[in-house]
Amino acid sequence: MGEGKVKSPLIASDGVELTEVDVKGFGKNEMKDLLDRLMKIPEKDNEGFLLKLKQRLDRVGLEVPTIEVRFEDLTVSAEAYVGSRALPTIQNSCANMVEGFLSYLHILPTRKKPLPILQDVSGIIKPGRMVLLLGPPSSGKTTLLLALAGKLGSDLQVSGKVTYNGCELNEFVPQRTSSYISQHDNHMGEMTVRETLDFSARCQGVGSRYDMLVELSRREEEEDIKADPDIDMYMKATSLEGQDVSLLTDYTLKILGLEDCADTVVGNEMIRGISGGEKKRLTAGEMMVGPVRAYFMDAISNGLDSSTSYQIVNSIRQSIHILEGTAVISLLQPAPETYELFDDIILLSDGKIVYQGPCENVLEFFELMGFKCPERKGVADFLQEVTSRKDQEQYWMNRDKGYSFVSATEFAEKFRSFHVGVELKKLLYLHFPNYTSELNVKIKAFISDTIIRIIFVCSVAMTVFLRTNMHKKTEEDGQLYLGALYYTVITVMFNGLSEIALSTMRLPVFYKQRELLFFPVWAYSIPTWILKIPVTLWEVVLWVCLTYYAIGYEQDFERIIGHILVLLCAHQMASALYRCISAIGRSMIVANTLGSCTLLAVLALGGFVLSKDNIHPWWIWGYWSSPLMYAQNAIAVNEFLGKSWRHVLPNSNEPLGVTVMKTRGLMPDAYWYWLGIGALVGYMFLFNLLSATALAYFNPIGRPQAILSEETLAERTSMDLTSKKKHGMILPFQPLSICFNDIKYAVDVSQVLNSTLAEFYM
């Protein structure tokens, strides 16, 4: 089957003629028309559309690849400080760093205490079944999802194994097969919703969809089967690699209810954008546009109303059931109608699996344990409360027998002898017999406008160093010009200081995309560098146009070009330095602190605040390693070797410009201009290389530190041994009143009403 035929399907036009259409040239309008034909109302038509896709595959006996995920004897634990030592204070942070280094060298034993997260859990996630992950806070839900997706942190102690169709995680690249969808919504605030999904789709590629389509077309041709034109067009359009706009994006926007905000920027703390619920849906959609077949979704309903949560979960359910995908979804408090959409349930408590199996058997298990769900009680709420020490007693149904707290350990042990647990154990004994994106990924960056700030600073420079007050007759006049040059270099370098904040804000998104293997690190760092060059050129040229003549620098075209070149290199070097600081610091506080200390050192040892002759010998290395020194020397040589500075003063045997530079410890030789340019370019490459290296090998910091109180540690230690004994502490409860006034809530039902009326009259 030729590639051209795959890319040019035949579709029906006006129900009569067949027209050949090249799906490579699809635009937004063509995509919208196609999706409208396939499913007018997503809530009603999506299931029928997916069934048509599956039926086309079934007619020729082509099976969709499926993934069965198993985890056996999985134990995950961390180490945490206990009590006041766990508080995030400066004293504790410094002590932790020293202690960690000494512990690494086996000089000092660590004071951390073990904190179990998951304890010897095993289970099977079958394809084609929706799995709900429930459990109270700190029960280990996120850790289990991360473990199944192969994304556990290196600071955790892990034993046991996770397999996909019998293959362990170190035997393939799990990011190409599965996806962990975080509960945190990290996105580029300047990109629109559609651009975010298109970028994600292009980075993830199409996986095996194209190969499957080729095989499908070959079998249909052999058996002389004519495919539905719209379905054929959809499958071909979603199988093309490297499309700027993806049909899957429009499909995902439609089923997630994001069409109305598709062209709205996502937004962040500084930019107004979409709502929190829409960001939550975008986070899920970002991975749904890819070719992965297993989804591990963490608290995707947070911030969504029950109706929207139901719609999203129902769309996922239809895809999982019909196309036989794999999904584990963690929900905090699912509504009863949402709970009914799931086939299986995993209930976690205190790091142990209390129950794993079909939803229809879960109440049977707890009734066997002596606990019954009230008739008007949601099953999900019951399951979360029945393992809680505070809420468990209200569900005890054997009133004639004395009640005692049943721990998670007892539930887990009893589940092993329950018929569902026995069947699961039997199944566990039955064993099974890099980057996909193009290298020319288009990366867009949005940079804030700085014209007003530059003009304001230029006005300050022009009025402080005004041409009419700047002469070139004495050595003191030269010192004024040298100060103006220093002010110019410092201003240009500080223009890029916002790079620290901007780069640090984007790091969470970068780390997420790096873990998902969207692109190699150089594909992120090099475009960031290149896209900064036009901004640098614009800022420097604007500055020079406003200040050069107004201050009265050397009026020579070659000197003007030399002046601009130094400032361009200095600006690029400073931007690279700030990006390097951001990549190493990785958090706003650390990056700003590190950046301030670095700038103070660069400024103090740059050769102007302290001249070379006034720096102590043991600090002279700082002078020679300061990028500011090379920029200052190069721009000074460019100015003071000009014609207007060549006259010789009385009682002197050298030009005035040379005298001025020697007075401040600068090197007056002409070759120092190109030496300074070369040093700035060298620093520019060095800082960009260090930045890329840090982005490649450093992991994000700022994750919540595990805090373990002494009471909690004592309770966890004794819980398994004294599970029948009530112990612990009940915190005092103070009732609070909540007031509300003039609240209005409205739902736009015009679209749904119009669609309903249209169907009624048809």
Side-chain angles (χ1 to χ4, degrees), residues 347-625:
L347 180 60
L348 277 176
S349 181
D350 293 332
K352 301 180 180 67
I353 289 184
V354 173
Y355 177 88
Q356 183 195 352
C359 292
E360 56 265 22
N361 298 119
V362 65
L363 294 182
E364 176 190 352
F365 168 71
F366 281 101
E367 288 180 5
L368 181 66
M369 296 294 296
F371 300 95
K372 186 174 183 179
C373 177
E375 292 183 2
R376 300 183 64 85
K377 181 76 173 181
V379 178
D381 294 335
F382 163 76
L383 294 177
Q384 304 227 65
E385 295 174 0
V386 74
T387 58
S388 168
R389 180 179 294 274
K390 182 180 66 174
D391 301 316
Q392 186 185 89
E393 185 176 1
Q394 61 181 310
Y395 302 113
W396 180 252
M397 64 180 186
N398 300 323
R399 295 299 177 181
D400 54 334
K401 298 181 180 179
Y403 163 77
S404 60
F405 176 70
V406 180
S407 67
T409 302
E410 293 177 86
F411 278 126
E413 291 176 354
K414 191 67 175 178
F415 175 69
R416 294 189 184 98
S417 60
F418 186 57
H419 66 88
V420 176
V422 172
E423 184 66 22
L424 177 63
K425 188 175 181 180
K426 291 180 180 178
L427 293 175
L428 284 171
Y429 281 111
L430 299 176
H431 297 285
F432 276 90
N434 281 315
Y435 299 100
T436 60
S437 63
E438 296 181 359
L439 297 181
N440 58 343
V441 174
K442 182 180 179 182
I443 301 179
K444 300 179 181 179
F446 298 85
I447 304 172
S448 59
D449 190 9
T450 58
I451 296 178
I452 297 178
R453 175 173 52 84
I454 293 177
I455 292 177
F456 174 76
V457 179
C458 284
S459 64
V460 174
M462 290 186 293
T463 52
V464 172
F465 303 101
L466 194 58
R467 179 187 183 94
T468 56
N469 298 325
M470 301 282 286
H471 308 289
K472 300 180 180 180
K473 299 178 181 179
T474 64
E475 187 176 329
E476 289 74 14
D477 295 336
Q479 297 298 328
L480 289 176
Y481 273 95
L482 195 60
L485 292 172
Y486 178 75
Y487 178 78
T488 296
V489 174
I490 291 299
T491 302
V492 169
M493 289 182 61
F494 270 93
N495 278 347
L497 188 60
S498 60
E499 193 75 28
I500 292 181
L502 294 175
S503 298
T504 306
M505 288 173 60
R506 294 189 179 102
L507 283 180
V509 183
F510 164 77
Y511 286 129
K512 177 183 72 173
Q513 295 174 343
R514 185 189 70 176
E515 292 175 353
L516 295 170
L517 299 184
F518 271 23
F519 42 70
V521 172
W522 64 262
Y524 175 86
S525 56
I526 292 181
T528 303
W529 174 13
I530 294 175
L531 290 172
K532 189 68 177 178
I533 294 177
V535 179
T536 298
L537 183 62
W538 169 254
E539 291 184 5
V540 169
V541 171
L542 179 61
W543 174 274
V544 173
C545 290
L546 292 176
T547 62
Y548 195 90
Y549 180 79
I551 294 176
Y553 293 125
E554 187 69 22
Q555 303 300 308
D556 183 5
F557 181 75
E558 292 184 2
R559 301 289 173 181
I560 295 175
I561 298 301
H563 188 89
I564 293 175
L565 182 59
V566 174
L567 297 183
L568 284 174
C569 294
H571 194 291
Q572 277 290 299
M573 178 276 302
S575 296
L577 173 62
Y578 300 144
R579 288 194 295 271
C580 179
I581 291 172
S582 172
I584 294 175
R586 290 165 288 169
S587 73
M588 199 67 72
I589 296 176
V590 176
N592 285 332
T593 303
L594 183 60
S596 300
C597 295
T598 303
L599 288 177
L600 285 175
V602 169
L603 296 178
L605 300 173
F608 185 84
V609 177
L610 290 175
S611 66
K612 182 182 68 173
D613 301 331
N614 294 329
I615 297 178
H616 291 289
W618 56 84
W619 275 107
I620 198 65
W621 63 269
Y623 171 81
W624 291 107
S625 61

Side-chain angles (χ1 to χ4, degrees), residues 23-166:
V23 296
K24 292 185 66 176
F26 260 24
K28 292 183 180 179
N29 294 332
E30 290 84 354
M31 292 182 182
K32 184 178 184 302
D33 292 340
L34 175 59
L35 287 177
D36 286 342
R37 292 197 302 269
L38 291 172
M39 52 176 185
K40 190 73 174 178
I41 303 176
E43 295 84 352
K44 296 176 57 178
D45 303 333
N46 184 49
E47 186 172 9
F49 162 65
L50 294 175
L51 284 172
K52 289 181 181 179
L53 290 178
K54 187 66 167 59
Q55 289 168 1
R56 184 183 181 190
L57 298 174
D58 292 341
R59 279 188 301 177
V60 294
L62 191 61
E63 296 183 358
V64 179
T66 59
I67 299 173
E68 181 177 289
V69 181
R70 297 187 178 204
F71 51 101
E72 302 178 43
D73 303 323
L74 184 62
T75 299
V76 181
S77 61
E79 292 184 339
Y81 291 104
V82 179
S84 60
R85 184 62 186 277
L87 298 177
T89 63
I90 296 178
Q91 179 180 355
N92 285 343
S93 298
C94 296
N96 294 346
M97 291 177 60
V98 175
E99 182 183 303
F101 178 72
L102 295 178
S103 299
Y104 178 77
L105 298 177
H106 302 287
I107 298 176
L108 185 70
T110 181
R111 295 178 60 184
K112 292 182 178 180
K113 302 297 181 181
L115 175 64
I117 303 175
L118 295 176
Q119 303 178 47
D120 195 27
V121 297
S122 300
I124 300 176
I125 312 297
K126 288 187 169 295
R129 295 184 67 83
M130 287 280 287
V131 181
L132 173 63
L133 179 60
L134 279 180
S138 301
S139 59
K141 299 190 298 296
T142 298
T143 302
L144 177 59
L145 292 173
L146 289 171
L148 296 179
K151 295 181 63 176
L152 283 176
S154 58
D155 55 335
L156 300 175
Q157 291 78 46
V158 184
S159 62
K161 65 178 181 178
V162 177
T163 61
Y164 286 42
N165 290 350

Side-chain angles (χ1 to χ4, degrees), residues 230-422:
D230 287 336
I231 295 294
D232 188 47
M233 185 187 303
Y234 175 86
M235 296 184 70
K236 291 175 180 178
T238 56
S239 300
L240 298 180
E241 187 83 46
Q243 296 294 298
D244 290 335
V245 292
S246 172
L247 181 59
L248 272 176
T249 294
D250 289 79
Y251 171 73
T252 305
L253 290 171
K254 203 173 186 69
I255 64 172
L256 294 182
L258 293 173
E259 285 184 300
D260 292 338
C261 62
D263 297 315
T264 305
V265 295
V266 177
N268 51 33
E269 295 84 352
M270 304 297 294
I271 304 173
R272 184 176 181 180
I274 60 178
S275 66
E278 289 167 336
K279 283 185 181 179
K280 182 64 65 177
R281 283 177 273 170
L282 177 61
T283 302
E286 191 177 20
M287 301 314 304
M288 293 172 64
V289 296
V292 297
R293 300 286 300 156
Y295 299 99
F296 303 103
M297 303 181 174
D298 193 1
I300 62 171
S301 65
N302 289 1
L304 302 178
D305 59 78
S306 58
S307 176
T308 305
S309 300
Y310 177 86
Q311 177 187 344
I312 294 174
V313 174
N314 188 43
S315 299
I316 298 172
R317 172 182 173 272
Q318 292 167 351
S319 176
I320 296 300
H321 280 181
I322 297 173
L323 301 181
E324 299 185 80
T326 304
V328 181
I329 303 177
S330 166
L331 300 179
L332 187 58
Q333 287 180 305
E337 60 271 14
T338 304
Y339 173 82
E340 295 295 331
L341 296 174
F342 290 90
D343 305 301
D344 297 328
I345 186 171
I346 298 176
L347 180 60
L348 277 176
S349 181
D350 293 332
K352 301 180 180 67
I353 289 184
V354 173
Y355 177 88
Q356 183 195 352
C359 292
E360 56 265 22
N361 298 119
V362 65
L363 294 182
E364 176 190 352
F365 168 71
F366 281 101
E367 288 180 5
L368 181 66
M369 296 294 296
F371 300 95
K372 186 174 183 179
C373 177
E375 292 183 2
R376 300 183 64 85
K377 181 76 173 181
V379 178
D381 294 335
F382 163 76
L383 294 177
Q384 304 227 65
E385 295 174 0
V386 74
T387 58
S388 168
R389 180 179 294 274
K390 182 180 66 174
D391 301 316
Q392 186 185 89
E393 185 176 1
Q394 61 181 310
Y395 302 113
W396 180 252
M397 64 180 186
N398 300 323
R399 295 299 177 181
D400 54 334
K401 298 181 180 179
Y403 163 77
S404 60
F405 176 70
V406 180
S407 67
T409 302
E410 293 177 86
F411 278 126
E413 291 176 354
K414 191 67 175 178
F415 175 69
R416 294 189 184 98
S417 60
F418 186 57
H419 66 88
V420 176
V422 172

